[in-house]
């Protein structure tokens, strides 16, 4: 059977190879299953037609059986009434019906075998179609999982065109630099204040020495004035 050849080839292919070659694997898988479903439907129509032909042959045989019975009764009645020519005619029709019946029975035997084979093939194709649908669903899930994992790996490894986490790192560095600068500025302010305090102490010391010397001078001048 040539049916399902494309589907069979497809489902035997490697999943990653399928993803690499098909622009949209899910769409292609659905298309193949749709085509296979249509082929099974068309095959079902052929089986139904073969079955209808078988039924028609059976009905014709039934009709001939009835005709044979009627012709036999007509021939017997004609003989009873002494009408031999009419009896011969009835028997002739009976023989023709029997000949047709044998021919139809021969055709019916062949048709019955054909219908049986077609129904077996239809059963096999239907099973393959259901298996193909399950395989399609499995491949679609695997494809989606592969795409998700690929995107996740790209995000983690920074292979994507823009890594949002990189912005966090840059902002972290900037904050840490600002904190360091603030600490450095605080240290400078604190150091400057201490130096100013020491400078004030030195200035106070100088002023004290000057005042002491001034006081001594004043005291010396006062002593000189008292002597005079």
């Amino acid at each position: 059977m040539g049916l399902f050849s494309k589907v069979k080839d497809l489902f035997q292919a490697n999943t990653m190879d399928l993803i690499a070659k098909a622009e949209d694997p899910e769409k292609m898988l659905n298309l193949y299953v749709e085509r296979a479903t249509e082929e099974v439907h068309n095959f079902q129509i052929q089986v139904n037609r073969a079955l209808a032909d078988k039924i028609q042959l059976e009905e014709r045989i039934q009709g001939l059986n009835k005709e044979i019975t009627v012709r036999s009764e007509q021939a017997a009645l004609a003989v009873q009434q002494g009408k031999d020519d009419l009896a011969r005619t009835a028997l002739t029709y009976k023989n023709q019906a029997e000949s047709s019946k044998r021919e139809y029975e021969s055709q019916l035997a062949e048709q019955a075998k054909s219908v049986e084979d077609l129904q077996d093939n239809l059963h096999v194709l239907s099973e393959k179609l259901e298996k193909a649908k399950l395989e399609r669903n499995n491949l679609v899930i695997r494809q989606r999982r592969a795409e998700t994992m690929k995107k996740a790996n790209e995000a983690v490894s920074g292979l994507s065109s823009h890594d949002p986490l990189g912005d966090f790192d840059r902002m972290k560095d900037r904050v840490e630099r600002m904190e360091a600068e603030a600490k450095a500025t605080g240290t400078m302010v604190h150091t400057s204040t201490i130096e100013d305090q020491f400078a004030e102490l030195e200035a106070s010391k100088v002023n004290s020495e000057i005042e002491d010397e001034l006081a001594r001078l004043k005291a010396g001048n006062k002593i000189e004035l008292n002597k005079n």
Side-chain angles (χ1 to χ4, degrees):
M1 293 177 292
L3 300 175
F4 286 87
S5 58
K6 295 180 180 179
V7 178
K8 181 179 179 181
D9 292 340
L10 173 67
F11 292 144
Q12 287 180 346
N14 181 274
T15 304
M16 297 308 297
D17 182 63
L18 173 65
I19 294 175
K21 291 182 179 180
E23 182 179 358
D24 188 345
E26 182 174 352
K27 182 177 180 180
M28 296 301 297
L29 286 167
N30 289 334
L31 178 60
Y32 286 134
V33 170
E34 181 180 346
R35 290 177 179 175
T37 302
E38 184 178 356
E39 289 182 346
V40 171
H41 176 70
N42 292 335
F43 196 82
Q44 176 71 67
I45 293 176
Q46 296 178 21
V47 174
N48 292 340
R49 288 175 179 173
L51 184 58
D53 291 340
K54 176 177 175 290
I55 293 173
Q56 188 177 32
L57 288 171
E58 291 173 342
E59 290 176 347
R60 288 180 179 178
I61 291 173
Q62 291 176 0
L64 289 170
N65 284 331
K66 291 180 180 179
E67 183 178 355
I68 291 170
T69 300
V70 169
R71 297 303 183 186
S72 295
E73 292 175 352
Q74 288 175 345
L77 181 60
V79 169
Q80 290 176 2
Q81 296 182 1
K83 297 180 179 180
D84 293 347
D85 290 340
L86 188 59
R88 291 188 182 93
T89 301
L91 291 174
T92 300
Y93 287 150
K94 175 191 173 185
N95 290 337
Q96 290 177 352
E98 288 175 341
S99 177
S100 298
K101 176 186 174 182
R102 287 192 294 270
E103 182 179 352
Y104 283 140
E105 285 177 340
S106 176
Q107 293 181 18
L108 178 61
E110 294 179 359
Q111 189 66 19
K113 182 63 170 61
S114 176
V115 169
E116 183 180 357
D117 292 341
L118 288 172
Q119 288 177 332
D120 289 342
N121 291 335
L122 177 62
H123 180 71
V124 172
L125 291 177
S126 298
E127 287 186 345
K128 286 186 176 181
L129 176 59
E130 292 305 315
K131 183 178 179 181
K133 289 179 180 180
L134 292 175
E135 189 69 14
R136 181 271 312 271
N137 295 338
N138 181 46
L139 287 174
V140 169
I141 292 174
R142 291 169 62 184
Q143 178 227 341
R144 292 176 180 175
R145 183 169 62 247
E147 289 180 346
T148 301
M149 292 302 298
K150 180 181 178 182
K151 292 179 181 179
N153 291 334
E154 288 179 350
V156 172
S157 61
L159 295 179
S160 57
S161 58
H162 177 68
D163 184 5
L165 296 179
D167 295 335
F168 280 91
D169 293 337
R170 286 192 292 273
M171 291 301 102
K172 179 180 178 181
D173 292 341
R174 184 173 179 181
V175 170
E176 290 177 350
R177 179 177 292 276
M178 292 175 66
E179 289 175 344
E181 291 177 353
K183 290 180 181 179
T185 303
T187 302
M188 291 176 61
V189 171
H190 182 67
T191 303
S192 177
T193 301
I194 292 175
E195 293 299 329
D196 290 343
Q197 291 177 357
F198 279 117
E200 290 177 0
L201 289 176
E202 292 294 333
S204 297
K205 179 180 179 182
V206 172
N207 291 333
S208 178
E209 292 176 352
I210 292 174
E211 291 298 328
D212 290 343
E213 186 175 358
L214 179 60
R216 287 194 297 272
L217 289 174
K218 288 181 178 181
N221 290 334
K222 185 176 180 180
I223 294 173
E224 291 294 330
L225 290 174
N226 289 333
K227 289 181 178 182
N228 295 331

